[in-house]
Amino acid sequence: MKTIIANWKMNVGVRESVALARGTLLTLRGRKVSPALVICPPFVALSEVRKIVARSSAGLGAQNMFWEQSGAYTGETSPRMLQELGVSHVILGHSERRALFGETDEMVNKKVLQALEQKLVPIICIGESADQRREEQTQQVVRDQLMAALQGVRLKSSDTIMVAYEPLWAIGSGVAATVSDVIETHRFIHLLLGQVFEQAAPGQFSVLYGGSVDAENAYGFLREDEVNGVLVGGASVKINQFKGIVQAAAEVLEAKQTS
Ligand code: PEP
């Protein structure tokens, strides 16, 4: 399976989210095979988008959450609240949250543990900066972030974890990583996950690529076995672009079925 995560960030309000959710689901219509879709609208639109997504195979994702269940945490949203809203997935440790809101590896780890506790699928975002890449520290950075995020995680047979490899320099820049770089880093991440979760069943964890994915380059990433899907920001709010990405995933899945 290939999964496409649509991260709408803070780009659409409630009304626009409803329209975009309808348009996004239409991209699946009439297909023999479809990728798995997870739509991540802003918090304020979750309950309206849920009504649309509930009639489809798509999942509903949040873009962040806090790790406590309740209490005096003004402005925060708990894992239980997300579950109550029908949320199935949650993006954690996105680079924008790390860079702009001071999220640390420790905070991401607390969120991952609580997400799993609440039966939400964590989408753990990791990736190196341009400087770290230049200094050939990609694997070290990715390893450190991943190991920190997974500290103390005991994977139950019903748990699923997604890791989004998102090089910081590729996010929103229009410059995606090369397919060969993505394959190399994904192999490394798969290897680490296999070591951490020796008993995991196939499909319990997946590794997605994110960073300037669009209709043009999506096929190149998605056709690779190491790439279990893509996390899409900018192109997920442009319906024609998003349709092209869904089409690319469907072509890959169809080709795999016939081979
Ligand atoms: C993202 O928001 O995680 C992302 C990958 O954004 P973009 O697709 O715009 O680079």
Side-chain angles (χ1 to χ4, degrees):
M1 182 41 82
K2 302 283 176 181
T3 302
I4 304 179
I5 316 256
N7 176 16
W8 294 349
K9 311 197 188 199
M10 204 180 70
N11 288 319
V12 278
V14 180
R15 247 178 302 157
E16 285 168 298
S17 291
V18 167
L20 190 56
R22 290 202 178 106
T24 300
L25 292 181
L26 278 179
T27 67
L28 296 177
R29 186 170 282 180
R31 295 190 183 280
K32 280 194 254 108
V33 277
S34 296
L37 275 196
V38 181
I39 298 178
C40 306
F43 279 117
V44 291
L46 278 170
S47 57
E48 287 303 313
V49 171
R50 177 197 190 177
K51 294 176 194 163
I52 296 154
V53 164
R55 290 179 245 127
S56 76
S57 58
L60 182 65
Q63 298 175 16
N64 179 35
M65 62 165 217
F66 192 48
W67 58 81
E68 293 290 349
Q69 293 296 3
S70 64
Y73 304 105
T74 303
E76 292 295 333
T77 307
S78 77
R80 200 178 295 144
M81 290 169 183
L82 293 183
Q83 224 211 16
E84 206 183 322
L85 278 174
V87 167
S88 52
H89 292 66
V90 58
I91 298 174
L92 298 176
H94 191 281
S95 68
E96 286 152 17
R97 296 218 53 88
R98 293 180 194 255
L100 303 171
F101 303 100
E103 263 190 35
T104 62
D105 284 338
E106 290 70 28
M107 291 157 82
V108 175
N109 176 236
K110 287 186 190 178
K111 293 181 179 195
V112 170
L113 290 167
Q114 283 309 312
L116 289 169
E117 190 67 33
Q118 209 59 42
K119 299 280 165 241
L120 297 167
V121 178
I123 304 162
I124 305 168
C125 299
I126 57 175
E128 82 287 358
S129 67
D131 285 348
Q132 289 164 333
R133 177 171 189 255
R134 222 170 290 119
E135 285 158 32
E136 298 183 1
Q137 294 172 347
T138 299
Q139 292 203 347
Q140 189 191 317
V141 171
V142 160
R143 185 200 296 114
D144 290 352
Q145 288 181 338
L146 187 63
M147 291 308 169
L150 297 176
Q151 190 79 33
V153 172
R154 304 271 168 274
L155 208 63
K156 296 190 210 81
S157 58
S158 56
D159 290 338
T160 307
I161 287 182
M162 291 182 166
V163 175
Y165 168 55
E166 302 207 297
L168 271 55
W169 46 271
I171 297 179
S173 66
V175 182
T178 63
V179 173
S180 60
D181 280 352
V182 169
I183 292 173
E184 191 184 330
T185 308
H186 278 217
R187 269 190 197 146
F188 180 65
I189 296 169
H190 276 290
L191 190 80
L192 292 173
L193 288 167
Q195 285 168 358
V196 176
F197 303 120
E198 279 179 334
Q199 315 296 334
Q204 266 197 283
F205 51 77
S206 44
V207 184
L208 287 73
Y209 168 71
S212 296
V213 172
D214 59 23
E216 302 281 296
N217 63 22
Y219 187 85
F221 294 116
L222 288 164
R223 76 174 162 199
E224 302 300 335
D225 287 339
E226 291 82 356
V227 180
N228 304 126
V230 286
L231 197 165
V232 187
S236 69
V237 291
K238 297 182 190 125
I239 207 67
N240 280 336
Q241 278 289 323
F242 197 71
K243 194 174 171 184
I245 296 168
V246 171
Q247 172 68 25
E251 279 170 27
V252 168
L253 292 168
E254 274 169 35
K256 281 190 194 298
Q257 268 188 350
T258 51
S259 66

